[in-house]
Amino acid sequence: MFHLRPRTVADCVVVINWIPDAEAMHLFTGTRLRWPLTVAQLTAMQAKPGFSAWTLSADQSQSPAAHFDLTIDGDVAHLGRVLIDPQLRGNGLAHVVVGFAKGQAKSLGASEMRLNVITGNEPAIRTYLRAGFTMYSSERPNVTSMNLVL
């Protein structure tokens, strides 16, 4: 059983420790943030209108098992920075995270969810396709854009 809760500064410290190098960070954040990732970079994003960041914790644990953020723009939720604790990967948790993200987006008033994945991040692309997302043409190089009607 997982529980969704708003991300805290302490969670940011944990999430940053899941990222071993610049390449892994690029898959997590794209080109918007710089290596080495810092708590200040993650928390600065909270100033963006419509932004919220979330963690999933296993059972009653306060330690995050996964992270994602949403930015609501009208009735569209932009899903970003999805990351799972490396020790928990490969067990289907990505599908759980996407389910929680969809539910949270709906509760925030979204009727559509969009996301961008670094092209070549096949595990993420497979996860989103399995969750019902479809690809659409992106003007950004090296990015696969996807959307889902909620």
Side-chain angles (χ1 to χ4, degrees), residues 98 102 111-114 131-134 146-150:
V98 172
K102 288 167 38 177
S111 60
E112 179 183 1
M113 182 178 280
R114 295 179 187 165
F133 284 82
T134 57
M146 305 177 86
N147 74 319
L148 173 72
V149 175
L150 298 173

Side-chain angles (χ1 to χ4, degrees), residues 8-11 21 27 31 38 41-43 48 51 61 69 74 89 103 109 116 119 122 128 130 134 136-137 141 149:
T8 66
V9 172
D11 294 332
D21 54 37
L27 292 176
T31 59
T38 65
Q41 288 182 81
L42 281 182
T43 58
K48 184 176 182 180
F51 180 89
S61 168
D69 63 51
R89 292 178 191 161
N116 293 309
T119 301
E122 293 305 320
Y128 297 127
R130 250 180 92 190
T134 57
Y136 66 92
S137 181
V149 175

Side-chain angles (χ1 to χ4, degrees), residues 3-8 11 53-57 61-65:
H3 302 277
L4 182 68
R5 62 182 174 76
R7 181 187 72 194
T8 66
D11 294 332
W54 305 90
T55 60
L56 270 67
S57 298
S61 168
Q62 290 302 307
S63 181

Side-chain angles (χ1 to χ4, degrees), residues 21-71:
D21 54 37
E23 182 178 340
M25 192 193 82
H26 180 69
L27 292 176
F28 173 56
T29 69
T31 59
R32 296 189 179 170
L33 303 177
R34 300 285 176 235
W35 180 257
L37 187 59
T38 65
V39 170
Q41 288 182 81
L42 281 182
T43 58
M45 299 176 79
Q46 293 171 199
K48 184 176 182 180
F51 180 89
S52 60
W54 305 90
T55 60
L56 270 67
S57 298
D59 297 319
Q60 295 301 321
S61 168
Q62 290 302 307
S63 181
H67 172 279
F68 68 89
D69 63 51
L70 295 169
T71 302

